[in-house]
Amino acid sequence: MPSVFETSPTAIPITFVTKSSWDQVAETLPPAQRQFATASAFTAKPSGYLALPAPDGAIAQVLFGLEDEGAISRDLFRPGALPGLLPPGTYRFANAPHDVRLAALAFALGSYRFARYRKADRPDVRLVPPDGVDAIEISRMADAAMLARDLINTPSNDMGPEELAAAAQELAGEFGASFACIIGEDLRTDFPLIHAVGMASDRAPRLIDIGWGDPAHPKVTLVGKGVCFDTGGLDLKPSSGMLIMKKDMGGAANVLALARMVMDAKLKVRLRVLIPAVENAVAGNAFRPLDIFTSRKGITVEIGNTDAEGRLVLADALALADEEKPDLLIDLGTLTGAARVALGPDLPPFYTNDETLAADVARCAVKENDPLWRMPLWPPYDAWLDSKTATITNAPSGGFAGSITCALFLQRFVEQAKSWLHVDIYGWTPSAKPARPEGGECQAARAIYTLLSERYA
């Protein structure tokens, strides 16, 4: 995507105002502009927008409303609404919003449009980088977010396991990374859970494997759930639950976005990216409730529910990742409705037993306005995974603590990594907000990238 940033000596100023600051700002306006604002009933409410005319009819400046400094809730991405409001042109911030860097990022994120299937002109607006803001870093984050959004928004008929692998291969090629794909009999033999979930589809399951960086650097491995469409399998979802299941590869999309940032910034890591890419379909050879499979790790897994498939494909990929004892192992997946019930669509839970990592993740999430909330790997619930006929079940009976038990299930497949982080994302914005259009969303990737940048720059 082209950058939204450019320099211009004639950029139109954007003045940020709040209800409490509006009277003071109004006093500084030329009388004609002040009268125009009064006649337009501008009140500086959040997202309030007004273009003030110059004597020649051009835009003299833009007024844009923000929350008051002491407001209980402030949307630091509110300036992301501007690209959808502004006429074509180049603009600059005339004064500081609540967070200048996040406002510039929001402006870039707010320029996104998904236009693969219908005309959706990207706003023809540019922003002069504010003083002290690293436009290259902001563009890096925005480009990665747009990659994740594009992948998630693409419908499953054009984004199956093969197409997801092609997107991963293209990214690998852009940065000179290695690329491999395990498919067919090798997948059946070495990754039984991935194969079981995907075997009913006529679109072959596979495990994508990308490698990049100096082998001497710390090993950071990313694992992303790549279920390109989830019917629920034989435990079929209702139509309402299936409607946006093209987003069930959101973990893979966000892992690729994160990998793009890491490689583009040339962080000092030996990066590995693993994506189990499958379609959970319904056919005569679909895996069934109470089937038992022996995982790559040797743990036997009873299928309590075929709609708890994401943890199955992640389990085999995590087992592979764990074998080389990475310094940091991170997995992202659109996994449980329980996480949405607990925290809603905008606030993904994360899990780790590494206290330093947990504190760093929480801090970086706040810094990047990329919300995350820690939840516990609660040991007493681990017994709920017990099966009478296998080592564990993928879906404990009862409806309690679904996100926690999913995390505990995955923890069974991680023993040797020095540190492990699991994030249960939603990957979707149900209704548009500033800088966050309705549809596929980049979640957790920016916060984790900032953490990695701090550790491995």
Side-chain angles (χ1 to χ4, degrees):
M1 298 289 287
S3 173
V4 300
F5 298 112
E6 70 176 24
T7 57
S8 171
T10 59
I12 301 167
I14 299 170
T15 300
F16 296 102
V17 293
T18 66
K19 287 186 176 180
S20 61
S21 71
W22 168 231
D23 288 342
Q24 183 179 356
V25 171
E27 288 299 317
T28 68
L29 298 176
Q33 292 182 16
R34 185 164 60 248
Q35 178 59 32
F36 184 87
T38 300
S40 301
F42 181 76
T43 60
K45 66 181 180 180
S47 291
Y49 165 85
L50 185 64
L52 297 176
D56 63 359
I59 299 175
Q61 68 171 307
V62 168
L63 303 176
F64 186 73
L66 300 176
E67 298 88 348
D68 278 315
E69 190 69 34
I72 294 175
S73 176
R74 291 184 300 164
D75 186 352
L76 298 180
F77 272 180
R78 190 166 297 282
L82 282 164
L85 299 171
L86 296 169
T90 301
Y91 297 82
R92 64 178 175 86
F93 293 166
N95 61 343
H98 296 309
D99 187 305
V100 175
R101 188 180 67 86
L102 289 179
L105 174 61
F107 194 99
L109 293 174
S111 299
Y112 173 81
R113 300 292 184 272
F114 183 61
R116 179 166 176 172
Y117 300 96
R118 58 176 289 179
K119 186 176 181 180
D121 292 335
R122 191 170 184 235
D124 186 16
V125 294
R126 300 289 183 268
L127 180 69
V128 175
D131 291 342
V133 170
D134 186 343
I136 294 175
E137 181 77 345
I138 295 297
S139 295
R140 178 179 294 131
M141 290 184 171
D143 288 347
M146 292 176 188
L147 170 64
R149 289 172 175 178
D150 278 348
L151 291 173
I152 297 170
N153 284 330
T154 301
S156 298
N157 59 312
D158 287 330
M159 187 53 65
E162 183 177 1
E163 291 82 5
L164 181 56
Q169 186 172 16
E170 181 180 355
L171 180 66
E174 181 179 349
F175 292 98
S178 66
F179 175 86
C181 209
I182 302 170
I183 192 170
E185 191 58 33
D186 287 341
L187 189 76
R188 179 197 297 269
T189 301
D190 296 334
F191 303 93
L193 296 180
I194 298 174
H195 180 268
V197 173
M199 65 185 177
S201 174
D202 59 1
R203 309 165 88 180
R206 63 204 67 209
L207 178 63
I208 299 161
D209 191 346
I210 295 173
W212 176 89
D214 187 339
H217 287 158
K219 296 176 182 177
V220 174
T221 301
L222 312 177
V223 180
K225 174 187 170 184
V227 178
C228 295
F229 192 82
D230 181 20
T231 65
L234 294 178
D235 288 310
L236 194 68
K237 292 179 182 291
S239 58
S240 59
M242 212 183 299
L243 187 61
I244 58 172
M245 279 299 100
K246 68 177 184 178
K247 81 169 185 67
D248 215 22
M249 39 66 70
N254 278 281
V255 158
L256 290 175
L258 176 53
R260 163 175 273 282
M261 288 185 277
V262 168
M263 293 187 291
D264 189 57
K266 298 179 174 63
L267 297 188
K268 295 177 180 177
V269 298
R270 199 286 279 142
L271 180 70
R272 190 178 192 185
V273 179
L274 296 171
I275 295 173
V278 303
E279 181 176 32
N280 188 18
V282 177
N285 65 331
F287 74 124
R288 299 165 290 263
L290 300 189
D291 280 355
I292 296 175
F293 297 92
T294 301
S295 68
R296 176 181 179 84
K297 192 174 179 62
I299 296 172
T300 55
V301 181
E302 181 183 36
I303 307 304
N305 191 307
T306 63
D307 196 21
E309 86 300 330
R311 68 198 67 182
L312 296 174
V313 299
L314 285 177
D316 268 354
L318 283 170
L320 173 63
D322 192 56
E323 289 166 12
E324 62 174 7
K325 304 177 182 179
D327 295 274
L328 180 57
L329 175 55
I330 301 169
D331 76 82
L332 275 67
T334 52
L335 285 157
T336 70
R340 313 293 75 86
V341 172
L343 299 175
D346 301 337
L347 183 58
F350 74 90
Y351 299 82
T352 182
N353 281 325
D354 183 332
E355 296 300 322
T356 300
L357 178 62
D360 286 346
V361 168
R363 176 177 51 78
C364 291
V366 172
K367 179 180 178 181
E368 296 302 332
N369 198 32
D370 192 8
L372 295 168
W373 193 264
R374 188 184 187 187
M375 289 182 66
L377 287 160
W378 187 243
Y381 293 166
D382 191 70
W384 294 359
L385 297 172
D386 290 348
S387 164
K388 295 179 180 178
T389 53
T391 310
I392 53 175
T393 176
N394 75 324
S397 59
F400 292 136
S403 183
I404 295 175
T405 55
C406 176
L408 290 169
F409 178 92
L410 295 176
Q411 188 180 38
R412 294 287 189 102
F413 297 85
V414 179
E415 291 183 335
Q416 303 184 79
K418 293 179 182 177
S419 188
W420 171 58
L421 172 68
H422 162 62
V423 190
D424 188 346
I425 67 170
Y426 191 51
W428 191 263
T429 299
S431 57
K433 296 183 283 293
R436 293 147 293 189
E438 180 180 345
E441 189 52 280
C442 185
Q443 289 184 317
R446 287 186 294 106
I448 296 171
Y449 165 69
T450 296
L451 181 148
L452 298 177
S453 296
E454 291 179 357
R455 293 189 175 190
Y456 307 115

